[in-house]
Amino acid sequence: RDMARPSKAARGKFRWIGLRINQGELSRNYAQDIIQQIMVDTNFRIFDFLSQDSSTLVIIRVALEDKDIVREKFQSHSEIESLTTSGKIRLVRNRMDLPKPTRKK
């Protein structure tokens, strides 16, 4: 048998943060670099990414304990705005009108 996964309580707690990057159309890697420059020493992962003409919508996951620090960092940044945050990615997607991405098989 496979090893049992850690219980839900034992796994890390996360927050999903919906961001808008106001820099025109971007590649996923470039968006990652921009966020990385702001969030030095903070782990995050990009989950959803949608780049349009004038801005790019991104949903990132951060550890629960980093949530407040991260939001403060984005507050003082002109090109990135934090739109919404939640413990559930589904709620962040709904609030940002982002479709659930299709999974690659």
Side-chain angles (χ1 to χ4, degrees), residues 39-83:
M39 292 179 42
V40 183
D41 301 331
T42 309
N43 285 330
F44 72 95
R45 185 167 158 211
I46 291 182
F47 273 76
D48 292 17
F49 174 87
L50 178 66
S51 195
Q52 298 157 321
D53 304 335
S54 58
S55 66
T56 300
L57 297 176
V58 180
I59 297 179
I60 61 171
R61 185 184 77 180
V62 298
L64 178 59
E65 57 270 16
D66 295 335
K67 170 185 66 105
D68 295 330
I69 301 161
V70 167
R71 291 200 72 183
E72 277 173 34
K73 285 181 181 176
F74 288 129
Q75 220 89 60
S76 59
H77 219 273
S78 56
E79 284 146 10
I80 297 186
E81 51 186 314
S82 172
L83 302 175

